[in-house]
Amino acid sequence: GRRLRAVAIPQALPWDSDIYRMPMARMSVVTGDSETARQYRVTEAVLAPAVALCDDRGVRHLSVRIDHHEYGVAAALGALGFWFVDATVTLMRPVTAPLPRTPQGRNRQASASDIPALQRVAASALVLGRAYHDPGLSLAANRELNRRWIANNCRGRAAQVLVAVDSQGLRGFICCNIDDASKALLGFAIGIVDLMAVAPAHQGRGVGYELLGAALRWFVSRADVVEIRTQLDNRVGLALYQKAGFCILSNGLALPSGYTFHRWRKA
């Protein structure tokens, strides 16, 4: 006869742990209360033992992402030693919407030989996000994470990686994926822009818009809607995506967004 009020689920992050060379985990928090004070009470009650469990098991770094409206959860996280590091939003666009008129640049599918150049672009251009807002995480490790991310996408994690090139070399890339479960669960297929970057020397020249147009053309026969997630402070990216017909959602269907908090275990 009791009502389940909140759940906290810790999950180890072996990939992150390997890159940052420390035990890392993330915590999923679900609460059935919408009123801020009740959210706070039930979240604190369920999170405190979950955090203690992670501390006992040697986890040095914990991350949590919550919905934008979960103010009570945010307050409970602060009381337990978490601090705010990032805000993300999800944008969505139906593929049936008119495609943006973009220049037909020299875009092609990436190959394995592109990986070193792609890694240089990823390491230099991807400088937003929770890892860069946490002073305890090294810049070198953050760059290594992005290098591995794009390399894994080229080696099969992404369904398609498109690159923009010119006589000077590789200018940028965009990674596309399809949420395989969405068709069966929701009745329509969701395409995902997983990662996108333009080399700093080529930013502000329309390369990102060109790549986005190429990706949307690739999605036309494969998805019904396309989602992309970015940082709330990525003003250039938000303007670019809205120019291409994307609309901001409070949360995504395949790409959940919200506020991210980190916590370091006290020595």
Side-chain angles (χ1 to χ4, degrees), residues 6 122 162-163 196 204 260:
L162 298 169
V163 296
M196 178 178 174
T260 302

Side-chain angles (χ1 to χ4, degrees), residues 139-154:
L139 180 60
N142 295 341
R143 288 173 172 168
E144 176 61 20
L145 183 147
N146 289 325
R147 282 191 286 264
R148 292 195 195 183
W149 191 354
I150 184 59
N152 288 343
N153 275 346
C154 285

Side-chain angles (χ1 to χ4, degrees), residues 159-230:
Q160 178 69 287
V161 179
L162 298 169
V163 296
V165 296
D166 63 11
S167 59
Q168 299 177 358
L170 194 143
R171 299 177 296 156
F173 64 82
I174 190 167
C175 304
C176 309
N177 246 323
I178 304 295
D179 182 359
D180 294 327
S182 60
K183 189 71 174 180
L185 291 173
L186 303 171
F188 55 90
I190 301 175
I192 297 170
V193 176
D194 179 67
L195 194 64
M196 178 178 174
V198 175
H202 295 281
Q203 291 176 4
R205 301 181 182 180
V207 177
Y209 196 57
E210 177 187 316
L211 280 167
L212 196 56
L216 290 172
R217 287 188 287 274
W218 182 85
F219 278 121
V220 163
S221 61
R222 298 172 174 87
D224 298 295
V225 298
V226 179
E227 283 191 2
I228 187 167
R229 183 172 61 211
T230 192

Side-chain angles (χ1 to χ4, degrees), residues 61-90:
H61 188 273
L62 265 175
S63 61
V64 179
R65 179 186 289 142
I66 65 174
D67 276 351
H68 299 97
H69 65 276
E70 293 180 314
Y71 303 108
V73 179
L77 289 168
L80 290 168
F82 289 82
W83 75 89
F84 169 73
V85 292
D86 192 27
T88 55
V89 293
T90 304

